Amino acid sequence: MNIRYFVLAALASAAFSCASPKPEGTLGAGSELDRKVEDLLSRMTLQEKIGQMNQISAGGEVAPYAAAIREGKVGSILNEVDPVRLNEFQRIAVEQSRLGIPILVGRDIIHGYRTLFPIPLGIAATFDPELARTGAALAAAEARPGGIHWTFSPMLDIARDPRWGRIAEGSGEDPYLDACMAEAFVRGYQGERPGSSSLAACIKHFAGYGAAEGGRDYAGTQIPERLLRNVYLPPFEAAVKAGAMTLMTSFNENDGLPSTGNAPLVRGILREEWGFDGLVVTDWNSMGEMIAHGFTPDRKEAARQALEAGVDMDMMTFGFLSHLEELLKERKVRMADIDEAVRHILKVKYMLGLFDSPYVDPAAAESALYTEDALSAARRTVAESAILLKNEGALPLKGVRTLLVTGPMADSPHDQLGTWSFDGEKDRTVTPLRALREQFDGNVLYVPGLKYTREVRTSFPEVLEAARKADAVLAFVGEEAILSGEAHSLADLNLIGSQSDLLKALKATGKPVVAVVMAGRPLTIERDLPSCDAMLYSFHPGTMGGPGLADLLLGKTSPSGKTPVTFLRTVGQVPMYYNHNMSGRPYQNEKLLDEIGLEAGQTSLGNTSYYLDYGASPLFPFGFGLSYTNFAFSDITLDRDCYGKDDVIRVSYTLSNTGQAEATEVVQVYVRDLVGSVVRPVKELKAFERVTLAPGERKALSIEIPVSRLSFYGRNGERTVEPGGFLLWVAGDSATGEPVPFEVR
Ligand code: BGC
């Protein structure tokens, strides 16, 4: 570890850490581990080493892959989850290959294994990293007994474009929230000390993948290095510091360099600067795709560049397997790099206990699924993650005898699971209709109106007839699971099909209408707000979506979810995110289209930054969400006016629950650095906490922020806290509150 890395690492952990320091027993920690790895490595042939660097997709059958495993040509498989077959795979590797090295089994467990939690964007909406940690630990507890060792999660891609379908898989637009969630997922999957009950986390996609041009998946990104370091890399750095065992390179090229061949990024920043000594795997054929990028002429050169960049394992290109031996003979790659890659892979296998217990007990695997703990944590996560966007008294439901449940998402067990739900089972999924039938004390009428979200209809007579018999209407609308996720980008973000028409028609009946949106992204729902009296927004909620939402709708608990990403009025506003840089001409109440006179003269004086047709504001800002009560902030003070760079800022505030319901507020602290060596964001989230208060309760509270958390990469390319003036807000979202000034010397 060089000095520069040491300093940066120390700064970095203070800058983004939400939790305790890196757990013991992570990679590189134990000399006993190193001895085992070195001993095994010394006994391996070149072909066996290269075999370890090869990952294949092997699902459904064992026979087609048996010979390759026996010959030591497979280090890892993905996409097989059957414990009996996994035991067979291991038996071939352990008992029939020369060195008996067990196979590392990977799977995309993105928001739960069988018990699916809300999609990661929904988990981020809880602003509750501890709950995210619990969810990840429960996912490990379900998957590991079945023989799965490694999950390709968490996805840490900052996403500021809701057209991009994979926005569903991450924590949204903010680096600090994302970093907190990153640490939580890593600790949850891996446990305090990675071992025989952990899943190895794989932080992905390194790096910048979420900035795909136009929101089109797999498109290139243009992220300059400072932006990369200040916005896109902090969650990865936080996860590395938390002990993430593995990392995946991304599909995208940034500024001309595909990540899988990007040595300055992987070898430079990740390995040398951050000291990452874990396993780096490519994304699916991202080595081979460097040929399609026109970055390498053939697979052999792609393999050479990937190894040179710092990649250890090839997912599904077979580039290492086919070409490394030849490349070594030609002296185009170094033996030391191959050895280093194999060390990383073997370390993970040792740390997860694969050599000690490669086999699993299928009966135990079965009984690990759908435990009470998992189901109740999933339900709680749903209830914490749904965001109340509007409520004119319709929620919670009160005095309703007959309830109409309608809409294509009301009883759509597959679609409520969301993207990456390979292992979820619709038969085990509880829909809102089912939960309401069980929990609602009154009559439930059910008329779906639309069978699926894309359906187009011109009228809804049977729904309207039922609405007339009901005291209130719950309309479950949104997006089918397949409309978000990988390769599922959209250019139009309005509610699809005839769903807006359905809401409008329901509203015209005069009955109170509650819209519950289940989607994979923040849709542009402005046109639907007038069609409902209340709107609850739930990112695809998973297995326990029904009970978790019913808890909110029926008032058993109050909504506390907050937008982890800015909600836009129209797709033309993309990209719009709260932590944008300060403009030379910030918006100031300009004239909109209908206020501009005919043949008005052009002027270049006094203009500011906005759209003539949509103004300057989003529909809902980052961090926004209502509850069944009201909260008031007061007495916001800092313990000092001026701080040194090593100090901790203690922010005191009083929070009052001024309404009638017990509820939780997500208290958010934002900071603006007034003058920087480079232009700084208008504000940035620097701390948050969830506080629960009884009706009428008032509490004096405080929250601490190390000054080092204000550091950023400025003009000199180093991460530092620049002295000067700052403003600080304590509020329930990113758009309200009164600033308090302070200084850093
Ligand atoms: C995705 C990754 C995923 C991998 C393995 C790729 O298409 O981009 O996120 O982990 O497949 O399934």
Side-chain angles (χ1 to χ4, degrees), residues 78-79 108 110 152 166 169 204-205 209 218 248 251 283-284 315 420 422 486:
L78 75 158
N79 289 338
D108 288 278
I110 307 296
F152 304 117
R166 302 197 83 169
E169 291 176 56
K204 68 186 191 185
H205 306 84
Y209 179 45
Y218 316 125
M248 186 186 289
F251 286 130
D283 201 342
W284 184 288
M315 184 192 286
W420 290 109
F422 288 155
E486 184 175 352

Side-chain angles (χ1 to χ4, degrees), residues 549-587:
L549 289 171
D551 288 343
L552 296 172
L553 298 166
L554 302 177
K556 292 184 187 155
T557 180
S558 172
S560 58
K562 299 278 185 168
T563 53
V565 60
T566 302
F567 274 54
L568 304 179
R569 298 180 58 197
T570 177
V571 76
Q573 290 177 308
V574 175
M576 181 178 268
Y577 46 91
Y578 85 96
N579 42 359
H580 59 85
N581 276 358
M582 290 190 264
S583 160
R585 296 186 176 194
Y587 173 69

Side-chain angles (χ1 to χ4, degrees), residues 222-242:
Q222 295 299 328
I223 312 172
E225 184 171 345
R226 194 180 348 265
L227 187 65
L228 192 71
R229 286 180 177 273
N230 282 332
V231 171
Y232 291 87
L233 296 188
F236 286 93
E237 199 170 355
V240 167
K241 300 297 176 287

Side-chain angles (χ1 to χ4, degrees), residues 115 117 131 138 371-381 544:
T115 305
F117 285 67
L131 193 55
L138 288 162
T371 59
E372 267 314 305
D373 282 355
L375 294 172
S376 70
R379 178 176 183 161
R380 194 177 136 209
T381 311
M544 295 300 278

Side-chain angles (χ1 to χ4, degrees), residues 643-705:
Y643 298 88
K645 289 186 185 175
D646 299 325
D647 291 342
V648 172
I649 305 169
R650 194 183 171 85
V651 185
S652 301
Y653 65 95
T654 300
L655 184 68
S656 311
N657 178 340
T658 59
Q660 306 301 316
E662 175 180 301
T664 300
E665 175 64 303
V666 176
V667 176
Q668 300 158 49
V669 183
Y670 294 90
V671 171
R672 175 188 297 180
D673 188 346
L674 289 171
V675 179
S677 63
V678 293
V679 174
R680 304 289 295 129
V682 290
K683 49 170 74 165
E684 294 175 292
L685 184 68
K686 291 295 172 191
F688 58 86
E689 61 183 355
R690 292 172 58 89
V691 180
T692 305
L693 295 183
E697 191 180 351
R698 189 183 151 86
K699 220 180 203 169
L701 294 150
S702 69
I703 193 164
E704 295 191 338
I705 302 173

